[in-house]
């Protein structure tokens, strides 16, 4: 396929946490809010003169300092973030809002605070208590926390308008991005898709790490370009299986690339920094206040394994089944960043349920934060693709 | 060898096999006392096993065989003790053993595969092993039976290697080996179909860590498949903040309602306040013992405090009068010993705070510390829980008290709640208890503690406190052996402090196979 016009631009944006658009927005006097989890609702931090970025540590090399402070048993994502923070890579931030989500990320941000990684005088940290169940009591908690730990400090410190009207406008802007990403992502459902999983991953990831308004034009142009883009004729030769990638944080640009180079087309992205969930619209009604609706949306939609009640436990598996069907996946890859406790359990139970109860071929792998050109992972994916192919042939024979 | 403290070279008792060469000689009076207490435990064990349903369970459940080692477990924790100290330890351990026997008896009476008493089973609520049992204080007609405590938690205390099979099972299923072995082992028990099946309903809680929270998913599926409704209390993590308390209280109300709906029983305030008064009284005793540890003559401390306090505080929670009676007896003995200025070992060289999570397969490490190096384990992180008094008459406040207890249950009160309760509090306790040393258990799979590793070191240097890291893997002695745990201390004592042990025979002991 012909290269997408803006792909290089999008790739370049992901080279650095303090990317071109972040710098530009700050030059305009806007404040940058760092967050570390899906559960800090984006419309609340892309509000007025503030914009949010999900923290990443692109081009991570040594993790020595992160490992000294947090030992080698914490996930590499948390260590990489701390390492980058200690190197001075997050000096551009104006605050960090961290949910007490998983223990490791929480500890990572606490280390940043105690080690005073940011020298800005008004820099502040907030830790949110976020729901671990999907019910009314948890919703009330979430609303209270978002008010006290997100909106109030943003208003007090940066003078952000936190009125219902302002929130409604922010949701509209958020939805605009979501619609664009969803439309772009829908092309992955085609039998012969006109966008690769890698390209989509890059485009989608940019929307988590840069001011939304500055991305819209390029996203619109990309969508227009895709409408007439001619897909490759050799799709089925290049990709011998379509997979749904499920798991923890994937902000490494090489991860999806590696899977696709090994012969599996990543049709659906069910991971943190992915679009399923994350880039669905928030539909507002006029009866309730906007904050309640935003919180409910995030509480319902999150597929975080730390939601502990059984209905949610089952829902996560059902959701994987639904998107696997919708995106015509032949198999599922469950990935877990090494040392991640929540995804360790979710990977185990998900692998079992999807394989035994839903009948999918499943590849279950753990991986480092930065996969690079991991031969080990490539071999696993290649073997999986072969096994899916064999199954397809066998099923064809039976018919 | 004799009545004098430190007269026996304790390392010589180890044979390299499962049992020791002989019982410790503590002088005539104490040896006879100790022997008869041992005999009492043997009789209790015998009485337990002769019941057909218990005998059936012994053959049905792999983990049950560990209960044959109860007498050895008590011996390990009374090693080197004399006089009042020996009596305090027996008052604690013998009662805990009796309580566990009761737990097992209830478990197998109700269990579908053993006693299958359906009527009795309908009166049982299942709780997690690491969960406060306070919510059952208001249900006097219901039983609260945690199979996880019986199958996993206690089993490892009795036999350090008892969970390795289940860890293999769960890892074979795909769980990595780096998660906390406790919830992993419990999940392994379920996957191995080795959990008893009983109960009207279950109430889970996000107890100490992500692993524990996630393990609940496996359990709740097991309950669902066996027709046991399950409720999850999602207690807030940032428990020191006022903003989460209303939510926490509502979780408790919801849990109470769930129990009522599934058992037909109604919450009884009179019963609750009666039990909570006892709970407050028990805590008062515990605080008293810990206050004594601020002086030169601590009497109730180390493993004896840790294990007994865990049982009393969390699993009993004021529901059993026998524990308060035992507390009163222990306080009397401790005061008597304190007046006599009794030393627990012949020389108190260092005063240590034990921080972090203990190696469940080596809880007698603390007696070893005192006997081998003269390091007094004054208080441990797990015993430093909830110092406030629960309301004894205010119904509204009571719900908030229960919620607070759930948020600040043992270990959870430090592993969650931000760095202030884990990192900052440690140095306050060091000062409060006049300690010169911190023994920091580094449970290698405990991400909450590992995540503060570097800052613990920096703060220790700032405070001028000796910090000794002791690595372990909670329930998997294959990863870090008991001698490796001891070597962490041996190395520090010899190479950093240049000290000689009080009892050199304990420095290297062959106890890998010993129960």
């Amino acid at each position: 396929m012909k290269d997408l016009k803006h792909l290089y631009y999008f790739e370049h944006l992901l080279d650095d946490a303090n990317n071109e658009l972040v710098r530009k927005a700050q030059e305009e006097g806007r404040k940058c809010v760092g967050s570390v989890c899906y559960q800090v609702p984006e419309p609340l931090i892309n509000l007025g003169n503030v914009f949010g970025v999900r923290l990443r540590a692109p081009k991570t090399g040594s993790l020595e300092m992160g490992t000294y402070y947090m030992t080698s048993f914490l996930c590499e994502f948390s260590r990489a973030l701390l390492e980058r923070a200690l190197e001075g890579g997050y000096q551009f931030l104006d605050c960090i809002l961290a949910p007490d989500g998983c223990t490791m990320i929480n500890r990572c941000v606490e280390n940043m605070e105690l080690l005073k990684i940011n020298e800005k005088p008004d820099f502040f940290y907030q830790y949110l208590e976020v729901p671990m169940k999907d019910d009314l009591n948890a919703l009330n908690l979430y609303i209270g926390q978002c008010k006290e730990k997100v909106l109030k400090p943003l208003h007090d410190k940066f003078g952000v308008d936190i009125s219902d009207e302002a929130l409604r406008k922010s949701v509209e802007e958020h939805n605009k991005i979501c619609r664009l990403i969803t439309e772009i992502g829908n092309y992955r459902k085609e039998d012969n898709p006109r966008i690769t999983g890698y390209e989509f991953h890059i485009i989608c990831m940019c929307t988590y790490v840069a001011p939304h308004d500055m991305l819209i034009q390029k996203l619109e142009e990309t969508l227009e370009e895709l409408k007439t883009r001619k897909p490759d004729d050799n799709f089925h030769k290049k990709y011998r299986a379509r997979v749904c990638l499920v798991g923890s944080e994937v902000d490494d640009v090489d991860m999806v690339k590696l899977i696709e180079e090994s012969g599996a087309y990543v049709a659906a992205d069910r991971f943190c920094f992915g679009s399923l969930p994350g880039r669905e619209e928030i539909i507002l009604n006029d009866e309730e206040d906007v904050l309640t609706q935003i919180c409910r949306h995030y509480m319902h939609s999150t597929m975080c394994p730390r939601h502990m009640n059984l209905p949610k436990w089952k829902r996560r598996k059902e959701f994987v089944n639904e998107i696997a069907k919708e995106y015509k996946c032949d198999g599922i890859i469950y990935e877990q960043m090494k040392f991640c406790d929540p995804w360790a359990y979710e990977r185990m139970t998900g692998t079992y349920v999807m394989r035994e109860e839903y009948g999918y071929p499943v590849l279950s792998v753990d991986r480092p934060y930065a996969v690079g050109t991991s031969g080990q992972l490539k071999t696993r994916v290649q073997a999986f693709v072969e096994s899916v192919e064999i199954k397809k042939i066998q099923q064809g024979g039976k018919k | 060898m004799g009545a004098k403290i430190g007269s026996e070279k304790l390392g010589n008792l180890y044979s390299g096999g499962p049992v020791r060469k002989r019982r410790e000689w503590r002088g005539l009076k104490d040896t006879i006392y100790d022997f008869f207490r041992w005999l009492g435990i043997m009789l209790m064990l015998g009485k337990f096993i002769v019941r057909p349903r218990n005998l059936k369970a012994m053959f049905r459940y792999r983990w049950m065989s560990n209960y044959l080692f109860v007498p050895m477990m008590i011996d390990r924790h009374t090693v080197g003790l004399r006089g009042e100290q020996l009596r305090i330890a027996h008052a604690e351990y013998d009662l805990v053993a009796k309580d566990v026997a009761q737990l097992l008896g209830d478990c197998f009476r109700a269990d579908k595969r053993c006693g299958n008493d359906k009527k009795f089973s309908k009166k049982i609520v299942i709780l997690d092993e690491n969960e406060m049992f306070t919510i059952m204080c208001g249900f006097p007609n219901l039983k609260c039976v945690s199979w996880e405590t019986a199958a996993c938690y206690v089993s490892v205390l009795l036999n350090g290697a008892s969970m390795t099979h289940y860890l293999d099972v769960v890892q074979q299923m795909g769980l990595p080996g780096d998660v906390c072995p406790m919830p992993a082992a419990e999940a392994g028990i379920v996957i191995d179909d080795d959990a008893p099946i009983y109960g009207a309903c279950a109430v889970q809680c996000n107890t100490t860590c992500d692993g524990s929270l996630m393990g609940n998913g496996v359990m709740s599926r097991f309950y669902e498949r066996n027709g046991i409704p399950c409720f999850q209390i999602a207690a807030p993590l940032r428990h020191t903040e006022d903003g989460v308390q209303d939510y926490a209280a509502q979780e408790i109300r919801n849990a109470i309602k769930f129990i009522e709906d599934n058992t037909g029983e109604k919450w009884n305030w009179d019963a609750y306040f009666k039990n909570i008064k006892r709970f407050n009284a028990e805590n008062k005793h515990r605080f008293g013992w810990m206050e004594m540890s601020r002086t030169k003559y601590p009497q109730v401390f180390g493993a004896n405090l840790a294990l007994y306090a865990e049982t009393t505080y969390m699993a009993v929670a004021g529901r059993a009068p026998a524990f308060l009676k035992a507390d009163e007896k222990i306080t009397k003995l401790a005061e008597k010993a304190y007046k006599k200025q009794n030393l627990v070992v012949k020389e108190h060289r260092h005063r240590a705070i034990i921080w972090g999570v203990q190696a469940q397969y080596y809880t007698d490490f603390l007696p070893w510390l005192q006997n081998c190096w003269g390091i007094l384990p004054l208080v441990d992180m797990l015993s430093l829980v909830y110092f406030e008094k629960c309301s004894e008459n205010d119904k509204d406040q009571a719900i908030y008290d229960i919620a607070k207890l759930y948020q600040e249950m043992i270990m959870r009160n430090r592993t969650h709640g931000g760095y202030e309760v884990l990192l900052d509090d440690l140095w306050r306790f060091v000062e409060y208890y006049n300690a010169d040393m911190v023994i920091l258990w580094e449970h290698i799979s405990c991400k909450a503690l590992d995540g503060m590793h570097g800052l613990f070191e920096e703060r220790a240097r700032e405070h001028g406190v000796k910090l000794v890291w002791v690595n372990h893997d909670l329930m998997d002695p294959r990863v870090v052996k008991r001698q490796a745990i001891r070597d962490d201390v041996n190395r520090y004592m010899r190479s950093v402090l240049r000290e000689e042990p009080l009892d050199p025979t304990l420095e290297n002991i062959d106890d890998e196979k010993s129960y």
Side-chain angles (χ1 to χ4, degrees):
Chain A
M1 281 185 292
K2 195 179 159 192
D3 281 351
L4 287 172
K5 185 179 155 196
H6 296 305
L7 187 67
Y8 177 75
Y9 175 81
F10 290 131
E11 283 177 328
H12 184 61
L13 277 183
L14 297 173
D15 280 349
D16 189 359
N18 185 13
N19 59 53
E20 184 188 322
L21 295 184
V22 170
R23 290 196 298 271
K24 199 175 158 200
Q26 288 194 310
E27 277 163 20
E28 290 170 7
R30 293 163 72 179
K31 300 286 183 184
C32 182
V33 178
S35 84
V36 285
C37 178
Y38 175 83
Q39 297 188 76
V40 179
E42 284 180 273
L44 305 187
I45 55 174
N46 289 309
L47 193 58
N49 67 333
V50 300
F51 65 96
V53 294
R54 279 271 283 280
L55 296 189
R56 302 168 59 237
K59 296 180 180 167
T60 283
S62 140
L63 294 175
E64 278 175 16
M65 289 189 287
T67 303
Y68 166 69
Y69 280 104
M70 302 205 294
T71 80
S72 55
F73 275 86
L74 265 73
C75 83
E76 285 189 6
F77 177 59
S78 57
R79 281 187 279 150
L81 291 190
L82 182 59
E83 184 86 12
R84 184 56 47 90
L86 290 166
E87 288 165 349
Y90 299 137
Q91 287 289 336
F92 67 95
L93 295 175
D94 292 291
C95 65
I96 295 181
L97 305 181
D100 204 331
C102 64
T103 301
M104 288 176 254
I105 284 298
N106 183 48
R107 286 285 183 245
C108 163
V109 178
E110 287 186 332
N111 269 276
M112 290 182 191
E113 184 186 349
L114 291 165
L115 294 165
K116 299 183 175 59
I117 56 104
N118 195 296
E119 289 156 10
K120 289 186 181 172
D122 294 331
F123 194 88
F124 66 93
Y125 295 84
Q126 288 288 348
Y127 302 93
L128 282 78
E129 182 78 39
V130 289
M132 282 170 277
K133 284 197 299 192
D134 184 355
D135 63 14
L136 185 61
N137 193 28
L139 177 62
N140 291 334
L141 171 79
Y142 203 9
I143 296 166
Q145 290 286 302
C146 285
K147 260 186 204 161
E148 283 302 309
K149 306 266 182 87
V150 182
L151 295 180
K152 193 173 178 294
L154 293 183
H155 174 70
D156 293 348
K157 297 266 184 183
F158 305 137
V160 175
D161 177 6
I162 54 170
S163 64
D164 242 28
E165 292 74 44
L167 288 178
R168 198 169 277 276
K169 194 175 160 225
S170 175
V171 171
E172 277 168 25
E173 293 292 320
H174 176 78
N175 284 348
K176 209 181 279 178
I177 284 283
C178 293
R179 274 193 298 274
L180 283 167
I181 292 294
T182 305
E183 278 189 59
I184 293 170
N186 281 345
Y187 287 117
R188 294 174 299 170
K189 294 177 190 169
E190 293 176 333
D191 287 336
N192 193 4
R194 65 188 76 184
I195 185 167
T196 65
Y198 166 74
E199 288 167 336
F200 179 77
H201 184 217
I202 295 292
I203 294 168
C204 181
M205 209 162 29
C206 284
T207 64
Y208 286 101
V209 298
H212 285 178
D213 54 315
M214 293 181 172
L215 279 172
I216 284 180
Q217 193 192 338
K218 290 213 164 51
L219 290 176
E220 282 171 346
E221 285 173 19
T222 304
L223 180 60
E224 277 309 304
E225 192 184 346
L226 280 166
K227 284 177 184 168
T228 53
R229 194 187 199 194
K230 197 174 169 291
D232 274 346
D233 294 332
N234 64 347
F235 176 84
H236 295 286
K237 275 188 187 165
K238 200 171 170 190
Y239 304 111
R240 286 132 58 209
R242 296 170 66 104
V243 297
C244 174
L245 183 60
V246 184
S248 57
E249 204 82 26
V250 180
D251 69 75
D252 176 15
V253 292
D254 292 325
M255 177 73 184
V256 175
K257 194 188 215 173
L258 182 144
I259 294 172
E260 295 201 326
E261 280 173 1
S262 308
Y265 176 74
V266 179
D269 53 339
R270 174 40 306 268
F271 48 77
C272 303
F273 276 100
S275 66
L276 303 166
R279 286 293 168 254
E280 64 290 319
E281 286 187 61
I282 302 171
I283 309 296
L284 296 180
N285 62 47
D286 294 328
E287 286 81 50
E288 285 176 303
D289 68 288
V290 181
L291 179 61
T292 302
Q293 297 181 64
I294 293 172
C295 290
R296 186 186 294 116
H297 172 85
Y298 276 86
M299 188 178 75
H300 281 337
S301 65
T302 183
M303 290 291 144
C304 176
R306 286 178 89 257
H307 270 230
M308 62 188 278
N309 52 336
L310 192 60
K312 204 67 191 255
W313 187 93
K314 286 182 183 169
R315 175 67 197 133
R316 290 197 288 273
K317 279 83 180 173
E318 282 164 12
F319 184 70
V320 172
N321 177 44
E322 283 164 16
I323 57 172
K325 274 187 184 159
E326 197 181 340
Y327 288 82
K328 300 169 189 159
C329 298
D330 305 308
I332 291 159
I333 299 180
Y334 262 94
E335 59 82 19
Q336 168 225 338
M337 197 169 313
K338 208 159 168 47
F339 303 117
C340 170
D341 281 357
W343 276 100
Y345 278 90
E346 187 65 11
R347 177 166 72 92
M348 174 183 78
T349 56
T351 300
Y352 176 81
V353 171
M354 299 318 294
R355 193 180 282 157
E356 302 298 324
E357 296 175 18
Y358 287 96
Y360 287 98
V362 184
L363 170 65
S364 181
V365 286
D366 61 11
R367 63 174 185 92
Y369 174 54
V371 294
T373 50
S374 164
Q376 219 174 37
L377 191 57
K378 225 171 200 175
T379 308
R380 296 285 308 274
V381 178
Q382 282 166 345
F384 178 63
V385 169
E386 277 173 30
S387 75
V388 171
E389 272 186 317
I390 292 167
K391 272 197 185 101
K392 272 190 200 167
I393 293 165
Q394 285 169 342
Q395 280 166 357
K398 275 178 200 169
K399 280 173 193 171
Chain B
M1 272 199 324
K4 208 176 148 202
I5 289 171
S7 56
E8 177 92 276
K9 293 291 171 207
L10 297 168
N12 294 337
L13 298 176
Y14 292 88
S15 62
V19 289
R20 294 184 202 177
K21 286 179 191 163
R22 58 173 171 81
R23 295 191 65 72
E24 184 185 350
W25 179 253
R26 308 170 197 253
L28 188 64
K29 199 176 159 193
D30 282 350
T31 304
I32 291 175
Y33 169 80
D34 186 54
F35 177 74
F36 277 101
R37 298 305 294 236
W38 176 83
L39 209 56
I41 294 292
M42 292 301 277
L43 278 173
M44 189 168 73
L45 202 58
K47 264 168 73 180
F48 177 84
I49 290 174
V50 293
R51 277 194 165 232
R53 61 177 179 241
N54 295 344
L55 190 63
K56 198 173 170 187
M58 189 63 89
F59 289 101
R60 171 60 186 81
Y61 299 112
R62 170 189 272 261
W63 46 265
M64 260 310 283
S65 58
N66 300 303
Y67 283 87
L68 295 172
F69 311 126
V70 173
M72 286 80 149
M73 183 264 183
I74 296 177
D75 282 348
R76 279 191 280 125
H77 289 81
T78 53
V79 67
L81 299 180
R82 304 284 190 275
E84 283 82 9
Q85 282 297 324
L86 183 65
R87 282 149 186 82
I88 288 171
H90 273 297
E92 293 173 337
Y93 289 113
D94 296 6
L95 181 58
V96 172
K98 204 175 153 191
D99 190 59
V100 173
Q102 176 72 44
L103 163 73
L104 289 169
D106 290 344
C107 188
F108 300 133
R109 181 179 161 192
D111 181 19
K112 245 181 186 177
R113 290 147 168 168
C114 298
N116 199 22
D117 185 336
K118 287 178 186 160
K119 206 175 155 195
F120 182 66
S121 178
K122 287 284 163 207
K123 291 282 168 198
I124 290 179
V125 178
I126 308 167
L127 295 192
D128 290 350
E129 112 285 331
N130 225 355
E131 186 176 348
M132 290 298 294
F133 282 28
T134 325
I135 204 158
M136 299 309 294
C137 287
F139 291 108
N141 301 324
L142 295 178
K143 282 266 181 185
C144 174
V145 181
S146 163
W147 66 263
E148 291 175 1
T149 304
C152 178
Y153 186 87
V154 180
S155 288
V156 183
L157 290 178
L158 304 172
N159 170 17
S162 60
M163 286 299 114
T164 52
H165 166 75
Y166 301 111
L167 289 170
D168 289 345
V169 167
V170 78
Q171 286 172 20
Q172 206 169 14
M173 183 86 179
L175 192 70
D178 56 71
V179 300
C180 176
M182 187 188 277
E186 288 161 3
I189 292 169
V190 164
I191 293 165
D192 208 27
D193 193 22
D194 223 12
I197 301 167
Y198 60 83
C201 60
V203 177
Q204 297 181 320
C205 183
N206 55 337
T207 57
T208 49
C209 62
D210 286 348
S212 178
L213 179 152
M214 293 304 299
N216 280 347
V218 180
M219 307 302 159
S220 55
R221 194 119 200 275
F222 161 74
Y223 294 138
E224 187 198 38
R225 287 189 164 181
N226 287 289
I228 303 165
C230 181
F231 181 86
Q232 283 92 3
I233 297 175
L237 305 179
R238 303 204 74 80
H239 53 79
T240 56
E241 296 179 9
D242 292 340
V244 301
Q245 299 309 323
D246 287 343
Y247 161 80
Q250 189 55 44
E251 282 294 281
I252 297 301
R253 288 187 201 103
N254 292 347
I256 290 172
K257 184 164 185 317
F258 171 83
I259 297 172
E260 288 180 339
D261 290 348
N262 284 285
T263 60
E265 287 289 327
K266 283 282 160 208
W267 176 263
N268 181 329
W269 279 111
D270 292 337
Y272 171 78
F273 286 127
K274 194 177 160 190
N275 286 326
I276 217 68
K277 267 182 200 162
R278 214 177 290 143
F279 178 72
N280 282 336
E282 285 165 358
N283 282 337
K284 207 174 158 192
H285 282 285
R286 178 166 54 90
F287 302 152
W289 307 334
M290 294 197 315
E291 280 299 293
M292 212 177 267
S293 292
R294 295 178 66 195
T295 70
K296 277 186 183 174
Y297 306 104
Q299 300 299 329
V300 187
F301 63 96
N304 297 354
L305 174 70
L307 294 176
Y308 183 68
E310 266 185 54
T311 312
T312 319
Y313 181 83
M314 203 152 64
V316 176
R319 294 175 307 124
F323 279 82
L324 185 56
K325 274 186 195 161
D327 288 348
E328 286 159 1
K329 185 179 170 187
I330 293 163
T331 300
K332 267 186 197 162
L333 286 164
E335 282 169 354
K336 193 176 160 191
Y338 179 76
K339 273 181 199 154
K340 289 198 279 182
Q341 301 191 338
N342 276 4
L343 297 183
V344 180
V345 285
K346 63 182 176 188
E347 193 185 335
H348 291 183
R349 286 185 181 168
H350 297 283
R351 297 168 59 84
I353 302 287
I354 310 298
W355 207 246
V357 184
Q358 68 199 3
Q360 195 73 359
Y361 60 86
Y362 192 21
T363 47
D364 49 319
F365 168 73
L366 300 187
W368 175 85
L369 265 185
Q370 61 204 45
N371 287 322
C372 184
W373 289 102
I375 299 170
L376 287 195
L378 300 169
V379 286
D380 62 295
M381 187 181 93
L382 307 189
S383 302
L384 287 161
V385 277
Y386 203 64
F387 292 95
E388 289 161 52
K389 194 179 167 190
C390 295
S391 172
E392 295 177 357
N393 47 29
D394 182 339
K395 292 177 185 175
D396 291 333
Q397 181 56 42
I399 295 292
Y400 282 84
D401 288 343
I402 303 172
K404 196 73 177 161
L405 287 170
Y406 266 75
Q407 293 170 75
E408 299 190 359
M409 60 184 87
I410 283 179
M411 193 174 141
R412 190 186 200 277
N413 65 332
R414 306 269 164 221
T415 52
H416 292 310
Y419 59 82
E420 295 89 346
V421 290
L422 181 72
L423 183 68
D424 297 350
D425 276 0
L426 170 59
W427 315 108
R428 282 198 280 276
F429 288 125
V430 166
E431 202 175 312
Y432 188 76
Y433 287 98
N434 306 308
D436 64 325
M437 184 180 264
V438 170
I439 301 287
L440 223 157
W441 283 117
E442 183 145 76
H443 167 203
I444 57 175
S445 310
C446 180
K447 313 301 182 2
L449 276 146
D450 294 346
M452 281 287 139
H453 180 99
L455 284 160
F456 273 125
E457 292 205 344
E458 288 184 3
R459 294 284 169 90
R461 278 198 294 273
E462 283 166 23
H463 287 84
V465 173
K466 302 172 190 80
L467 175 69
V468 188
W469 289 105
V470 182
N471 287 279
H472 69 89
D473 198 19
L474 194 72
M475 290 201 171
D476 196 344
R478 297 169 300 185
V479 180
V480 183
K481 292 184 187 301
R482 279 184 275 208
Q483 186 56 43
I485 292 178
R486 291 189 290 267
D487 283 342
D488 280 338
V489 179
N490 292 341
R491 256 195 310 273
Y492 187 90
M493 298 306 287
R494 282 199 177 275
S495 60
V496 180
L497 299 185
R498 303 248 167 227
E499 288 186 15
E500 288 296 320
L502 276 183
D503 181 351
T505 62
L506 281 172
E507 207 174 347
N508 284 293
I509 46 181
D510 187 3
D511 65 341
E512 284 313 314
K513 292 178 195 157
S514 108
Y515 295 120

